[in-house]
Each structure stands twice: as C-alpha cells, then as structure tokens.
C-alpha cells in the first residue's frame, strides 16, 4: 500500500476512534447525571414519608445539582478512566459512573459549605442554600435567628451531600480508594487554610498557591483523573496526571480569581468581588500585593471596619497584575501540555486533555 494512502487511512481510523471515544465519554457522563438524580430522588421519597421537613436538606442538594454547573470533576474522572483504557469490556463502567457521581456530590458538599463561609448570596444564578432558607425562616416568622436557621439547613445539606458521595465511593478498593480518601482530605484542609489566610489577612503567594493546588489543581483535575485511571487498572499514570493536573488546576484557579475580581455576574452566575469583600487571600491578591505597595497597603487596611473594597479593586486594575496573571496562565497551560508530551496515552486522549486545559484556563464563567 502506498505510504500516502496508508497515512490517510490511519488518520481516518484515528479520527473515527476519537469520535467513538468522545461518544463513550458523553454516554458515561449522562449516566453520571442519571445516577445522581436517581439517588437524590429516592432519598427525597424515602425521607418525605417521615415528614416533608426531613427531606429539606436532600431537596437542597438536588436543587443545587440540577441548577447546572460545569461538571468538571466527573468529566476529568471519566476522561482519566477512558484515557487509561477503561471501558473495554472490563466490567468497570458502573464503578467509574459511581465514582464520577461521588466526585460531583463531593463538589456539592464543598460549594454549600463554601457559600456559608464566603457569605455568598447566590450560586449558579439562584440563591445559595443558606440564603434561601434564611429568607424562608424570616418570611414565615419562625422563632429564633433566621440566619442561624438558614446556615443550619445548609450545613446539614452539605453533610448529606458528603454522606452520599462516600456511599457512592464505597465500592472503591485499592489504589482507587486511596485516591478518593486523599481527594476528600485535601479539599477540606485546603479550605481550612483558605479561611485562615482570610482571617489573618495574610497575602502570602506560597501559601495562596498551596490553597490553589489543593482546591483546584488536585481536587478538580489531578485526583479525578487519577481516580478514573486507578479504576481502569492503571494507577501508574498518577505522576503524569499530577504534573498535568497541578498546572492546569492552578491556571483554573487563577482564571477563577480574575473572574471574581474583574468579571461580570451575568456571565459567571454568581456575585463578583466576593473574594475582596470577604478578605480572601487568593493567589491573585497575593501576587498583586507582592508586586504593588499600594495593593499591599490596601489589603492591610482591610483589617479595619471602614475599609473600601472598591478602592482595592481599583488598585488591582492599576497594578497591572491582570496582564501578569494572564501570562502566568499561558505558562501553566504550556506546562500542562508539556506533561502530556511523552505520556503513555493514546494520541487522541493527549489532544483531548490539551483541549480541556484550554477550556478550564480560558473560560468566561
């Protein structure tokens, strides 16, 4: 066969296989959504038989999940699984569907609690759980403090989401179980450092980056990829996925910081400027404070009750940190690409992972 014709046929076969891989990925992700819906629907029915009030936290989780979201963590979990050769009649598809659903419910737990800690009024274009039930309490004139009631409902809803996540992850064994437990712990301890730095008003780039790596690099990308690969029987891919995931995840977090500081609520689906209002020592703030004395002074002034978030936001714009961070995002995406260059993965999946790095780093919401 002439070499040119052989190359054309090989490329056509590769393209056809890539299309099939993406179709398989989409089908598995659709099953993940159905798995979550079925679980929450069954739990709502179960607890509603006791009393409608008992099912309120379950309904709160279901409302958050059904409101949309990027589903990044299930996407990376399923991608890691398929890129590692999973789904080839090895009987592990149900396991990865449950694991990816668990990762999304873990994310629901994190968001519900994070919204309480950040005092956020909306998420995905609708009131946050604690805000909604604070209003319910106030409108119905119930006894006690409305805010405490709303936050109590939200805490319990988050706890239930974590319980359901652990239930779905309960069949994981070996390397996959180890990845799951590490993922859960990292996310929680990353959140602890996040609130500690905010309370202390400490713009430390090294620590802020550690938070970004825990809460985005590992939790959003590295660990879900590694979880999928472990289910597929290839835990040895962890080093590749760590290098890729930490770089792409840090880019993801920096984009999140930029969207909060400079984005529009209509695009992001949540209020912007909350990181500044709530004294979050994000990587963006830490980098800007290290670069610009005016930003550093205003960050320090935020300890006082009469500080002005708008003034700090204006100083961030004037500092030029936005352009610096865009350059850093570009460099991180290049690092993510580099981690894949010699990875023992099919070419189509290396390309797909490059596309995903671009997607998380250059998104507008």
């Amino acid at each position: 066969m002439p070499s040119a014709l052989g190359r054309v046929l090989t490329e056509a076969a590769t393209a056809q296989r890539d299309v099939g891989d993406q179709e398989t990925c989409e089908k598995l992700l659709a099953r993940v959504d159905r798995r979550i819906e079925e679980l929450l629907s069954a739990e709502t029915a179960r607890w509603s038989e006791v009393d409608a009030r008992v099912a309120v936290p379950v309904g709160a989780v279901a409302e958050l999940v059904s409101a949309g979201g990027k589903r990044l963590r299930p996407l990376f979990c399923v991608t890691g699984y398929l890129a590692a050769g999973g789904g080839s009649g090895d009987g592990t598809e149900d396991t990865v569907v449950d694991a990816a659903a668990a990762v999304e419910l873990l994310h629901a737990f994190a968001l519900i609690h994070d919204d309480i800690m950040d005092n956020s009024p909306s998420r995905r274009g609708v009131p946050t759980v604690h805000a909604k039930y604070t209003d319910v309490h106030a409108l119905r004139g119930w006894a006690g403090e409305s805010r405490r009631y709303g936050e109590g409902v939200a805490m319990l809803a988050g706890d239930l989401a974590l319980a359901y996540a652990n239930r779905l992850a309960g069949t994981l064994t070996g390397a996959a179980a180890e990845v799951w437990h590490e993922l859960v712990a990292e996310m929680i301890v990353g959140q602890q450092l996040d609130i500690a730095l905010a309370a202390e008003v400490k713009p430390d780039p090294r620590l802020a980056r550690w938070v970004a790596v825990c809460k985005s690099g590992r939790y959003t990308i590295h660990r879900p990829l590694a979880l999928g690969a472990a289910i597929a029987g290839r835990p040895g891919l962890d080093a590749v996925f760590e290098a890729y995931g930490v770089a792409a995840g840090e880019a993801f977090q920096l984009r999140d910081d930029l969207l909060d500081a400079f984005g529009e609520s209509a695009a992001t689906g949540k209020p912007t400027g909350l990181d500044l209002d709530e004294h979050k020592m994000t990587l963006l703030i830490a980098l800007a404070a290290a670069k610009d004395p005016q930003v550093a002074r205003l960050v320090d002034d935020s300890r006082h009750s009469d500080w002005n978030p708008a003034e700090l936001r204006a100083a961030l714009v004037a500092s030029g940190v936005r352009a610096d961070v865009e350059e850093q995002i570009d460099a991180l995406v290049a690092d993510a690409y580099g981690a894949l260059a010699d990875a023992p993965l099919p070419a189509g999946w290396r390309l797909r992972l490059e596309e995903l790095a671009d997607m998380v780093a250059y998104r507008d919401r």
Side-chain angles (χ1 to χ4, degrees):
M1 182 181 294
S3 60
L5 178 58
R7 186 166 57 252
V8 169
L9 292 176
T10 300
E11 290 174 354
T14 299
Q16 185 175 14
R17 185 175 65 248
D18 291 348
V19 170
D21 287 341
Q22 291 311 307
E23 288 178 350
T24 301
C25 186
E26 289 169 7
K27 288 178 181 177
L28 287 173
L29 289 172
R31 286 183 59 189
V32 170
D33 276 345
R34 288 196 300 272
R35 185 72 177 94
I36 295 172
E37 290 167 8
E38 289 166 0
L39 170 62
L40 296 178
S41 178
E43 286 295 289
T44 299
R46 174 191 179 193
W47 295 114
S48 293
E49 289 182 359
V50 178
D51 187 278
R53 287 164 290 195
V54 180
V56 163
V58 187
V61 176
E63 287 173 11
L64 175 64
V65 173
S66 65
K70 294 180 277 293
R71 300 289 196 269
L72 287 178
R73 292 148 197 88
L75 171 59
F76 279 110
C77 182
V78 170
T79 297
Y81 171 75
L82 293 174
S88 304
D90 56 3
T92 56
E93 286 193 0
D94 288 347
T95 302
V96 80
V97 166
D98 277 359
V103 173
E104 185 62 20
L105 285 171
L106 177 68
H107 187 49
F109 151 71
L111 292 182
I112 293 169
H113 282 200
D114 198 40
D115 286 337
I116 299 171
M117 289 181 275
D118 290 350
N119 196 29
S120 179
S122 64
R123 163 80 62 180
R124 297 175 179 170
V126 298
T128 50
V129 178
H130 72 276
K132 174 180 177 176
Y133 287 97
T134 295
D135 289 345
V136 167
H137 185 281
L139 289 171
R140 297 184 181 178
W142 290 340
E145 184 181 341
S146 295
R147 177 171 175 168
R148 288 188 66 187
Y149 176 81
E151 291 180 350
V153 171
M155 288 171 63
L156 294 172
D159 291 346
L160 265 181
L162 177 59
Y164 294 147
N166 280 321
R167 179 191 298 184
L168 289 170
T171 59
L172 296 176
T173 59
E178 290 177 12
V179 173
W180 170 256
H181 294 307
E182 195 65 20
L183 188 161
V184 175
E186 279 176 339
M187 186 270 292
I188 293 172
V189 298
Q191 185 64 57
Q192 161 59 26
L193 184 56
D194 195 16
I195 64 171
L197 294 178
E200 297 170 19
V201 192
K202 187 172 184 178
D204 183 321
R206 181 183 66 84
L207 291 176
R209 182 178 181 275
W210 192 87
V211 172
V213 167
C214 268
K215 292 181 62 180
S216 291
R218 299 196 188 282
Y219 161 62
T220 301
I221 301 178
H222 165 211
R223 298 296 184 194
L225 282 169
L227 180 61
I231 293 169
R234 291 186 67 189
L237 285 171
D238 184 71
V240 169
F241 287 151
E242 179 178 15
Y244 167 86
V246 168
E250 187 176 343
F252 172 85
Q253 185 57 55
L254 283 171
R255 179 62 57 194
D256 215 44
D257 293 349
L258 288 175
L259 289 172
D260 182 83
F262 307 112
E264 298 292 335
S265 296
T268 63
K270 58 184 179 180
T272 56
L274 276 180
D275 288 345
L276 300 182
D277 295 342
E278 297 300 317
H279 307 275
K280 299 293 282 294
M281 293 299 105
T282 64
L283 189 49
L284 171 68
I285 294 291
L287 292 171
K291 172 185 179 179
D292 190 299
Q294 173 73 350
V295 172
R297 181 185 66 79
L298 290 169
V299 168
D300 191 60
D301 286 350
S302 71
R303 299 171 185 272
H304 310 302
S305 60
D306 61 347
W307 79 291
N308 185 355
E311 190 177 359
L312 176 54
R313 195 169 293 113
L316 283 174
V317 173
S319 72
V321 71
R322 185 173 188 174
D324 294 343
V325 169
E326 289 287 3
E327 289 182 6
Q328 189 164 339
I329 288 172
D330 291 343
L332 288 164
V333 171
D335 288 344
Y337 278 27
L340 299 171
D342 298 317
L345 296 168
W349 283 112
R350 288 201 303 271
L351 178 60
R352 178 57 178 153
L353 286 164
E354 289 178 358
E355 293 171 348
L356 290 177
D358 286 341
M359 181 187 76
V360 300
Y362 300 114
R363 71 194 195 282
D364 61 1
R365 56 185 290 269

